[in-house]
Amino acid sequence: MCATPVEQAFDLLLQLSPLPVSNRVVVVDLGDTNAAGNPWTRADTARLLTIIAAAGPDVVALDIVLSSNCDVNADNAAIAAAISHVPTTLG
């Protein structure tokens, strides 16, 4: 999946705009592919959430769409387990 022109413009704007530095807020912006260049999967999301939860954040806010493949399976269970270890808000 390729980024839309609006997403590309927003990414460029973020790169060009100086942002205040804070150790209180960390934003993880996921692309369409993982580090190996493969499409981002629910298993990847679960692994990332597990790592983030282990770092002990006060809260994790997720702005993702998980509208397909909602059956009970190992990947969905792993996401649920990961977010059960840290206060999480879903958007």
Side-chain angles (χ1 to χ4, degrees):
M1 174 184 263
C2 295
T4 67
V6 171
E7 291 170 327
Q8 291 172 343
F10 185 70
D11 286 347
L12 180 61
L13 177 65
L14 288 178
Q15 292 172 11
L16 297 175
S17 301
L19 300 173
V21 176
S22 168
N23 62 353
R24 296 189 44 80
V25 176
V26 176
V27 176
V28 178
D29 183 14
L30 304 178
D32 293 329
T33 58
N34 62 21
N38 300 316
W40 198 259
T41 67
R42 289 179 188 223
D44 295 325
T45 302
R47 280 191 294 277
L48 178 61
L49 289 171
T50 300
I51 292 166
I52 291 171
D58 291 334
V59 66
V60 171
L62 297 175
D63 184 14
I64 57 176
V65 176
L66 298 172
S67 62
S68 63
N69 187 20
C70 296
D71 297 330
V72 175
N73 61 44
D75 292 342
N76 290 332
I79 290 173
I83 65 175
S84 74
H85 296 291
V86 64
T88 304
T89 184
L90 304 172

